[in-house]
Amino acid sequence: GENVEQHPSTLSVQEGDSAVIKCTYSDSASNYFPWYKQELGKGPQLIIDIRSNVGEKKDQRIAVTLNKTAKHFSLHITETQPEDSAVYFCAAFRTGTASKLTFGTGTRLQVTL
Amino acid sequence: IAGITQAPTSQILAAGRRMTLRCTQDMRHNAMYWYRQDLGLGLRLIHYSNTAGTTGKGEVPDGYSVSRANTDDFPLTLASAVPSQTSVYFCASSDSRRGGLYGYTFGSGTRLTVV
């Protein structure tokens, strides 16, 4: 089955700096890669996703890149703000009725003033 | 109701007791999932259901059971709780008929402590 590794497990940046979280996946047939943000006491929320036919996607201060050859994808947050502090999860998915998302182990991002 | 509702939000349960965690969605999603979240281990799939009337085992199904009598509800039952089942439980749903390429919607979670 699919295996997703996520690094780093914790990340501390100063407000205004950029943050990068990296994930690798094992199943070359995976074709959908969402990112979730989980704030304290809440469930994960989808913040951005990318499909395998796209190399990069951007939404305001967040962007995701995908390298299918190397089987890794990354989340980039620019101009970080305190409200970006949360746990971020990457996930991988392969189209098919029996498929389910496989999650990374999460990155705790702390944005300091 | 908007999205997924989980109940209760938290529970302290004596070991050996039976407990059902409730999950209801109003998005008419065909697929539903139960995950447990433990520190350092991320989200691990317990059970899932691709459509009403069918269920399947995930990564960590032992000690848990589910049923899917209709589209909206997907309860998770712990037949005889043990301390290792102390965790935060999340229910999620997706519309996999569209290829599943639209991510999952998660509930707010149930924090369960087994003592």
Side-chain angles (χ1 to χ4, degrees):
Chain A
E2 176 68 277
N3 182 52
V4 178
E5 295 189 356
Q6 183 172 348
H7 299 281
S9 57
T10 60
L11 179 60
S12 182
V13 300
Q14 283 197 319
E15 183 179 7
D17 288 349
S18 295
V20 181
I21 302 170
K22 298 181 179 181
C23 290
T24 61
Y25 61 98
S26 61
D27 186 352
S28 57
S30 288
N31 58 352
Y32 174 65
F33 307 91
W35 285 87
Y36 289 82
K37 176 183 181 181
Q38 185 179 24
E39 297 176 333
L40 194 63
K42 297 183 179 180
Q45 281 197 306
L46 179 69
I47 56 171
I48 195 168
D49 55 18
I50 191 167
R51 290 156 176 71
S52 59
N53 59 346
V54 176
E56 183 174 359
K57 183 177 179 180
K58 190 173 182 179
D59 183 3
Q60 299 183 337
R61 295 187 298 107
I62 61 173
V64 57
T65 59
L66 172 65
N67 183 326
K68 287 174 57 181
T69 302
K71 290 189 287 187
H72 65 70
F73 56 113
S74 300
L75 178 71
H76 304 253
I77 306 173
T78 59
E79 301 172 24
T80 54
Q81 301 168 4
E83 52 264 38
D84 294 329
S85 296
V87 178
Y88 292 81
F89 291 96
C90 63
F93 180 88
R94 172 181 171 180
T95 303
T97 57
S99 292
K100 290 152 288 292
L101 279 176
T102 300
F103 287 89
T105 50
T107 296
R108 182 173 298 278
L109 174 64
Q110 181 70 42
V111 180
T112 58
L113 297 173
Chain B
I1 297 177
I4 293 184
T5 301
Q6 290 186 237
T9 54
S10 66
Q11 181 76 44
I12 299 175
L13 185 68
R17 296 296 295 270
R18 180 184 179 90
M19 172 78 186
T20 295
L21 280 59
R22 300 185 298 279
C23 175
T24 299
Q25 54 111 351
D26 65 352
M27 298 171 285
R28 307 303 293 174
H29 285 172
N30 64 299
M32 297 186 74
Y33 315 87
W34 274 105
Y35 286 87
R36 60 177 289 172
Q37 184 175 37
D38 303 291
L39 192 63
L41 296 175
L43 292 155
R44 293 184 293 170
L45 183 65
I46 305 171
H47 284 288
Y48 65 92
S49 168
N50 287 326
T51 189
T54 69
T55 62
K57 294 182 179 180
E59 182 184 355
V60 288
D62 294 343
Y64 305 95
S65 64
V66 292
S67 62
R68 186 90 183 278
N70 57 61
T71 297
D72 298 342
D73 301 300
F74 191 43
L76 176 73
T77 297
L78 289 68
S80 179
V82 295
S84 61
Q85 291 178 311
T86 293
S87 187
V88 181
Y89 292 85
F90 287 100
C91 179
S93 71
S94 71
D95 187 354
S96 67
R97 293 165 299 181
R98 298 199 292 173
L101 301 182
Y102 296 91
Y104 291 4
T105 299
F106 282 85
S108 297
T110 294
R111 182 175 296 276
L112 180 66
T113 303
V114 182
V115 297

